[in-house]
Amino acid sequence: MADDSSTDSTTAIVDASNETEARKNQKQPRQPTKSTAGEQSASKPVEARTAASSGKRHSHGERIEKLDLIQSKVAAGHTLKDAVASAGISEQTYYNWKRNTDIAGHAHGKPSLGGEQTDLLALETENQRLRHLLAEKLRVENLELREKLNRN
């Protein structure tokens, strides 16, 4: 009979451990916050969604103005770090804007080219145009010659 009582106690221990594991796996409901509506509005003011808070924060014109302001402050003797901080942007933002916008205010995604590089680029585009014209003339001439050969 001693065996019967020992198996009952082991079964009870296994059942108890299964119950505790089952409780651990269950999700507990969230506790409601204890702040009232008056406290919430006083601590966190509700901000209206504006165009500035969603996506881009500065228009192209504002970027140009800030870049010009930073450039003038640096020319006046301020450090770049101070000038960028006074404009209200980070240094990384300044460098990103500077890379994507030249000083004249034309956004093009490429850095501005020097005079010789601009001339070289113009010559390359002219060269491409002339190559296409020559290729078209050669196609027409080749077609005419094939037609003459087929007639004879």
Side-chain angles (χ1 to χ4, degrees):
M1 290 215 183
D3 291 336
D4 289 338
S5 63
S6 66
T7 55
D8 289 338
S9 63
T10 14
T11 308
I13 292 173
V14 170
D15 288 341
S17 66
N18 287 341
E19 285 179 24
T20 56
E21 285 184 33
R23 277 189 239 148
K24 287 180 185 177
N25 292 334
Q26 289 179 348
K27 286 191 173 183
Q28 297 296 325
R30 274 197 169 171
Q31 298 294 327
T33 58
K34 296 182 182 182
S35 64
T36 62
E39 290 175 334
Q40 186 179 13
S41 63
S43 63
K44 291 185 180 179
V46 178
E47 296 178 17
R49 256 186 161 316
T50 61
S53 66
S54 62
K56 294 185 177 182
R57 297 187 182 251
H58 300 283
S59 68
H60 180 69
E62 291 172 337
R63 290 178 183 186
I64 297 302
E65 289 174 11
K66 289 193 179 201
L67 287 173
D68 289 341
L69 172 72
I70 291 169
Q71 189 177 28
S72 64
K73 284 192 176 192
V74 168
H78 290 86
T79 63
L80 180 64
K81 194 171 196 169
D82 292 337
V84 169
S86 68
I89 59 174
S90 69
E91 284 186 64
Q92 186 61 48
T93 301
Y94 166 73
Y95 287 116
N96 285 338
W97 288 0
K98 187 176 176 185
R99 182 186 66 223
N100 293 327
T101 308
D102 65 0
I103 299 302
H106 304 290
H108 48 69
K110 295 181 183 175
S112 61
L113 301 174
E116 290 181 7
Q117 290 176 336
T118 305
D119 293 340
L120 181 63
L121 186 61
L123 286 174
E124 286 178 358
T125 55
E126 179 70 12
N127 193 8
Q128 286 293 327
R129 187 182 69 82
L130 292 173
R131 283 183 182 179
H132 287 291
L133 284 174
L134 180 62
E136 185 61 33
K137 286 183 181 181
L138 289 175
R139 277 189 212 110
V140 170
E141 187 179 321
N142 192 6
L143 183 63
E144 289 174 357
L145 289 173
R146 285 184 182 192
E147 287 176 0
K148 284 182 183 179
L149 287 175
N150 287 337
R151 287 184 201 162
N152 293 334

